[in-house]
């Protein structure tokens, strides 16, 4: 198990940008990712990256707008969110595991962060 702490959420106008970060502690060679959950909706896959950083996946709704990256040296992962829309408003969760591959399914995630709120005003 790893411990995950997100930062960087906040309020931004539509069309603007935000950068989320996730700091991981613990010794596990995991792929990592971001999921989000809006009120009354299920947790949704946003983006993920494998352990080496060479493979990334994106949800259809964020493709070409969001960029995921990771720094193995500092054990951190980031999500650069550009051209934000009101429908991007949600709590964003950092996720890790259960393997070195880039995760895309919420139900098998090994570790979750506490979440950070992103609100996009129109």
């Amino acid at each position: 198990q790893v411990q995950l702490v997100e930062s960087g959420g906040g309020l931004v106008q539509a069309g603007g940008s935000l950068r989320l970060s996730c700091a991981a502690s613990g010794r596990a060679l995991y792929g990592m990712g971001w999921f989000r959950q809006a009120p009354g909706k299920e947790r949704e896959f946003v983006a993920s990256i494998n352990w080496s950083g060479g493979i990334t996946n994106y949800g259809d709704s964020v493709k070409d707008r969001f960029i995921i990256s990771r720094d193995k040296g500092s054990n951190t992962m980031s999500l650069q969110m550009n051209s934000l829309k009101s429908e991007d408003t949600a709590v964003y969760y950092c996720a890790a595991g259960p393997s070195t591959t880039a995760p895309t399914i919420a139900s098998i995630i090994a570790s979750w962060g506490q979440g950070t709120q992103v609100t996009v005003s129109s």
Side-chain angles (χ1 to χ4, degrees), residues 5-116:
V5 178
E6 302 100 332
S7 60
L11 174 65
V12 64
Q13 288 190 332
S17 298
L18 273 177
R19 186 177 181 87
L20 304 182
S21 294
C22 176
S25 61
R27 300 182 65 183
L29 305 183
Y30 281 155
M32 297 180 69
W34 294 93
F35 292 74
R36 67 187 182 187
Q37 189 164 19
K41 295 188 176 182
E42 293 188 353
R43 195 163 293 191
E44 173 191 21
F45 168 70
V46 176
S48 62
I49 189 166
N50 70 338
W51 164 246
S52 70
I55 297 174
T56 57
N57 295 310
Y58 294 93
D60 289 341
S61 62
V62 306
K63 205 170 292 184
D64 299 325
R65 297 190 297 124
F66 291 9
I67 301 171
I68 191 170
S69 60
R70 72 184 299 170
D71 182 341
K72 289 191 292 182
S74 62
N75 221 6
T76 58
M77 176 183 64
S78 296
L79 184 69
Q80 178 66 39
M81 304 185 295
N82 302 318
S83 302
L84 283 161
K85 306 175 182 178
S86 58
E87 50 263 45
D88 294 318
T89 295
V91 177
Y92 283 69
Y93 295 91
C94 177
S99 70
T100 59
T101 59
T104 61
I105 302 172
S107 61
I108 63 172
I109 292 296
S111 297
W112 292 99
Q114 81 286 355
T116 185

